[in-house]
Amino acid sequence: MFKKVRSAALRGIEAIPVEIEVDSSEGLPGFSLVGLPDNAVREARERVISAMRSCGFYGCSSRMTVNMSPADLRKEGAAFDLGLAIGILAATEQIAVPNLENFLFLGELSLDGRLRPVHGILAVAANLARYSPQTILVVPYENRGEAVCVEELKVIAPKTLEECVKRLQEPERVYCSCHEENPVPATQTKTADFSQVYGMAAVKRALEISAAGAHNFLLVGSPGSGKTLCARCLPGILPAMRRNESLESTIIHSCAGVFDSGGLMKSRPFRAPHHTATVASLVGGMRLRPGEASLAHNGVLFLDELPEFQRAALECLRQPLEEGVVRLNRALGSVNFPANFVLGAAMNPCPCGYAMDKRRDCRCMPDTIKRYRAKVSGPLLDRIDLQVSVPSVPIDESRAAKTGENSAEIQKRVEAACKIQENRLDGRKSFRNGHLDGKTLKEILFWDSDAENFALKAAEKWRMSHRGYDRILKVARTIADLRQSSRVERSDLAEAIQYRALEAVWMN
């Protein structure tokens, strides 16, 4: 008997429909699997047959041929186990499932028949809701939190193969819902609070602007000056995620296999890879999976010890910073990953770290300092809106300093500024000032001729590129939003321009 079962494969973060065709015919017992499977899919035969026997069914006693269509799409992973098992059971007439074509199966099988969770469930669920909302999605019980995030989709989440068969044959089924069981919420990472940071008013101000307008930032200072601590406080003041942003980020993390708590992500991602990260780990490409740049989508990618990263790894971030997407072309195929992130970085001013410290002498030669700073290329530095010098605060002053604002207070101002941006750019996909194109930027500046002339003269004096000029305008627009003003004034531009002073000193 011939049976056809629906499943899905992932290419990047895109779900592609797959049909598992099972043909049971007379002849010597055997099992043939075709359709460009990888090793994990080929090994499914042993897992599926053992799981069937553990649940009271018999194995393959006839000639079994399985084709996974489309045949030219490479099938990877163990997510096809459940669909394969149901197809074999139906083809050998061990079970009868009414309207089998209405179901889509995903799940890995243990040898004892238990269903194990798999990656990318939310990507499949979102794809089904868009194109096939009448489909019933069957997933392992541990994946129910992801599947029910798409509310208009019917979901069945059994724990074992035996339970799955019973649920499929029920005349009246009870489906999972987001209200039936509260899925485990996304893990909230404990972040540092700005109340722990003494002094450093200029650094706090720059990070507040970065959070409000999604502006890239670079912190430069001596070792132990508090660069990393300040950056670690940033997640506590980032604006809340909108639902579409939360859905996008959760899909990416699910497909990458780094999200296992169920439910949608509640906080913006903050990714901080080690400086030994390779090009593939930063932008993706290994087995067409997303890299750190995509995992930081709608959040922050923080690169500590910036000059220690590979030059090629840093340069590959230039295109995502401009376009908000990573385009990969590999032997396995071509994919696009969303990568609309804020780039944050921290570095020392020289190899010894004390070139900008007034309390200690720098031991580095001028040529050594120049080579060290040259590890951060001019084009990359030109894409960083806020370049901040982090002063080293003496211990006695830090002990005597009063506790500053906490992150919750700063976040209120950030949320207010983001609300202004969202109302001003209503209906657009991106509403943050740092992500605006040049045409939209000119439409929302609302400045007078005096402010415009001031900006043009400053750009000429500092020999800014067109990109650098646009970026100071974006920062100025965010500064005006933070003070609840509809117009960009000269004082806003002056503050924005001072954040480009470090580039002017280094590049000249």
Side-chain angles (χ1 to χ4, degrees):
M1 180 177 288
F2 174 81
K3 287 293 181 181
K4 187 184 296 184
V5 175
R6 296 171 61 194
S7 188
L10 292 175
R11 176 181 287 174
I13 61 172
E14 177 188 3
I16 301 176
V18 171
E19 290 185 345
I20 302 176
E21 301 171 341
V22 183
D23 178 57
S24 178
S25 58
E26 296 181 358
L28 293 175
F31 189 98
S32 298
L33 178 61
V34 296
L36 208 58
D38 71 346
N39 289 334
V41 179
R42 292 191 188 96
E43 293 170 353
R45 172 183 178 273
E46 309 302 330
R47 293 192 298 271
V48 168
I49 293 177
S50 179
M52 290 166 52
R53 289 172 176 166
S54 298
C55 294
F57 303 103
Y58 61 83
C60 298
S61 59
S62 58
R63 178 66 184 175
M64 197 72 61
T65 303
V66 178
N67 175 49
M68 293 185 172
S69 177
D72 60 345
L73 174 68
R74 186 169 181 80
K75 319 302 185 304
E76 297 180 345
F80 302 103
D81 289 5
L82 180 58
L84 182 58
I86 297 298
I88 293 175
L89 291 175
T92 55
E93 300 182 328
Q94 297 185 62
I95 62 172
V97 181
N99 302 318
L100 183 59
E101 66 278 2
N102 292 340
F103 297 89
L104 189 144
F105 300 90
L106 287 170
E108 178 184 347
L109 280 172
S110 298
L111 299 184
D112 59 357
R114 289 181 294 112
L115 283 172
R116 295 183 180 274
V118 294
H119 305 318
I121 293 295
L122 185 55
V124 178
N127 185 74
L128 288 175
R130 187 180 300 115
Y131 300 111
S132 304
Q134 72 281 358
T135 299
I136 303 172
L137 183 61
V138 184
V139 298
Y141 184 76
E142 286 83 355
N143 286 127
R144 73 195 186 284
E146 288 184 57
V148 299
C149 289
V150 183
E151 298 178 356
E152 58 269 29
L153 196 64
K154 296 179 179 179
V155 178
I156 297 176
K159 296 181 179 180
T160 64
L161 175 61
E162 185 178 10
E163 180 185 348
C164 178
V165 171
K166 291 180 180 178
R167 298 284 297 275
L168 294 177
Q169 295 174 329
E170 290 175 354
E172 296 183 2
R173 302 182 187 90
V174 178
Y175 301 107
C176 297
S177 71
C178 56
H179 307 294
E180 170 187 77
E181 297 179 42
N182 291 324
V184 180
T187 303
Q188 300 291 322
T189 305
K190 292 184 178 180
T191 60
D193 194 279
F194 271 111
S195 61
Q196 304 170 8
V197 181
Y198 300 99
M200 299 189 184
V203 181
K204 293 179 182 179
R205 172 65 172 173
L207 292 179
E208 181 180 341
I209 296 171
S210 173
H215 300 290
N216 305 322
F217 66 90
L218 171 65
L219 306 180
V220 183
S222 304
S225 59
K227 305 183 296 295
T228 304
L229 174 60
C230 290
R232 293 286 179 183
C233 295
L234 184 62
I237 66 172
L238 294 175
M241 298 181 78
R242 298 188 296 181
R243 178 172 173 80
N244 65 318
E245 293 177 323
S246 182
L247 184 62
E248 289 175 354
S249 295
T250 307
I251 287 176
I252 295 171
H253 282 70
S254 174
C255 292
V258 296
F259 185 76
D260 56 3
S261 59
L264 294 179
M265 295 177 63
K266 306 300 181 182
S267 56
R268 294 184 181 273
F270 183 88
R271 305 292 300 184
H274 193 260
H275 61 259
T276 55
T278 62
V279 172
S281 65
L282 277 182
V283 299
M286 298 183 64
R287 297 176 62 187
L288 296 184
R289 290 196 174 179
E292 292 292 336
S294 296
L295 293 173
H297 181 61
N298 294 321
V300 178
L301 176 65
F302 179 63
L303 306 182
D304 204 0
E305 306 298 340
L306 184 65
E308 304 302 328
F309 281 81
Q310 299 177 23
R311 180 68 176 261
L314 293 179
E315 296 305 305
C316 71
L317 295 176
R318 285 158 54 177
Q319 181 236 348
L321 286 173
E322 288 295 320
E323 301 181 8
V325 63
V326 172
R327 294 184 175 88
L328 294 178
N329 296 290
R330 299 290 187 269
L332 294 177
S334 299
V335 295
N336 294 338
F337 291 124
N340 206 359
F341 59 90
V342 172
L343 176 64
M347 61 176 289
N348 298 325
C350 65
C352 77
Y354 300 105
M356 298 169 58
D357 197 323
K358 298 180 180 180
R359 300 181 302 150
R360 298 186 63 172
D361 294 330
C362 175
R363 305 187 302 271
C364 303
M365 299 294 292
D367 288 345
T368 304
I369 297 176
K370 188 175 182 179
R371 285 195 300 270
Y372 180 79
R373 293 175 178 176
K375 293 181 180 180
V376 183
S377 68
L380 181 62
L381 195 61
D382 193 42
R383 288 167 167 83
I384 299 178
D385 309 336
L386 307 170
Q387 302 159 15
V388 188
S389 175
V390 182
S392 182
V393 181
I395 296 178
D396 56 344
E397 292 184 16
S398 65
R399 285 179 173 272
K402 296 180 180 180
T403 303
E405 283 185 302
N406 58 36
S407 295
E409 295 172 348
I410 300 175
Q411 189 186 37
K412 290 179 181 179
R413 296 196 296 269
V414 170
E415 290 283 4
C418 288
K419 187 64 176 178
I420 293 174
Q421 298 171 49
E422 189 170 0
N423 293 336
R424 184 170 55 227
L425 300 171
D426 186 31
R428 299 175 186 263
K429 184 177 180 181
S430 177
F431 66 94
R432 311 288 294 284
N433 290 332
H435 299 153
L436 297 179
D437 57 70
K439 180 181 178 181
T440 306
L441 177 63
K442 292 179 181 179
E443 295 174 355
I444 66 171
L445 280 176
F446 307 121
W447 56 355
D448 54 27
S449 57
D450 179 60
E452 184 176 4
N453 291 334
F454 176 76
L456 289 172
K457 290 180 180 179
E460 183 179 355
K461 178 180 179 180
W462 294 105
R463 290 182 285 180
M464 293 182 185
S465 65
H466 287 283
R467 181 193 294 115
Y469 178 69
D470 281 349
R471 288 187 177 274
I472 66 169
L473 299 185
K474 294 177 184 179
V475 173
R477 178 67 268 178
T478 300
I479 294 171
D481 291 336
L482 282 169
R483 60 181 182 83
Q484 306 287 301
S485 174
S486 61
R487 301 187 65 83
V488 174
E489 298 181 356
R490 182 168 177 162
S491 59
D492 304 322
L493 290 164
E495 184 177 358
I497 291 169
Q498 74 173 3
Y499 292 121
R500 306 286 296 194
L502 196 62
E503 176 189 2
V505 172
W506 284 15
M507 293 293 107
N508 295 321

